[in-house]
Amino acid sequence: MTRQSTLFEDLWAPELPPGFVLQAQALSLDRQKALLAAVRDIEAIAPLSRLRTKGGGLTSAAMTNCGDAGWWSDAKGYRYETTNPATGAPWPAMPPVFWDTVREVAGHSPWPDFEPDACLINFYTPAAKMGLHQDRDEKDFKHPIITVCLGDDADFQVGGALRTDKYVNVRVHSGDVLLMGGESRMRFHGVRKIFGGTSPIANVNGRYSLTFRKAL
Ligand code: FE2
């Protein structure tokens, strides 16, 4: 892990497995605000919505996308779509501040050449969560998934190769970046809890995660 080691590290940051990288406080408050403004522009074109799952329920988090492809779920299952099924329009382009951020982050990671073509934006109210799952709808699992955290703190679950494997909770804060690649690419992961009211950015009542992928 990239977080600086301290005497008390095991009290607040569990040992993370190879391929799972936490870039703690990688993004300045100004950058977080710029990313949030870009997210709000995307929401104006492609509104957040809770998606129908195969089981007939709705996702707890609300979702939208930008880039060449967007992740989607409905009765037909999980997949990437190059247009927004809700509007029929192409997904909004990935804004420049998204590109700048993901290139800077990747440049300081084991995957410096990562070039995403999709960004799934999840919004969690303080009551929302996401169960343990694998990200397996992308074409080639050799590419990492890079997650930018904005807004409220959260406990991110890092599990193993099986849903039933033990997991650790990693407390993530606005401005933190999580990278899952290599031997951790197919790890089960989830969001166990959002800590409402902890966002350092005004006007966010909840947590956004911007999850950059190479989908196609
Ligand atoms: Fe995921």
Side-chain angles (χ1 to χ4, degrees), residues 117-139:
D117 56 13
C119 181
L120 167 62
I121 299 167
N122 295 301
F123 178 68
Y124 298 81
T125 67
K129 56 182 73 172
M130 188 173 291
L132 286 168
H133 67 279
Q134 292 171 303
D135 293 351
R136 51 183 322 135
D137 302 311
E138 299 72 32
K139 194 158 272 174

Side-chain angles (χ1 to χ4, degrees), residues 1 16-22 110-111 144-145 178-185 187:
M1 60 186 286
L16 294 174
F20 189 100
V21 179
L22 171 61
W111 307 281
I145 291 192
L178 297 169
L179 303 93
M180 281 180 27
E183 61 194 270
S184 281
R185 174 62 178 76
R187 254 173 217 290

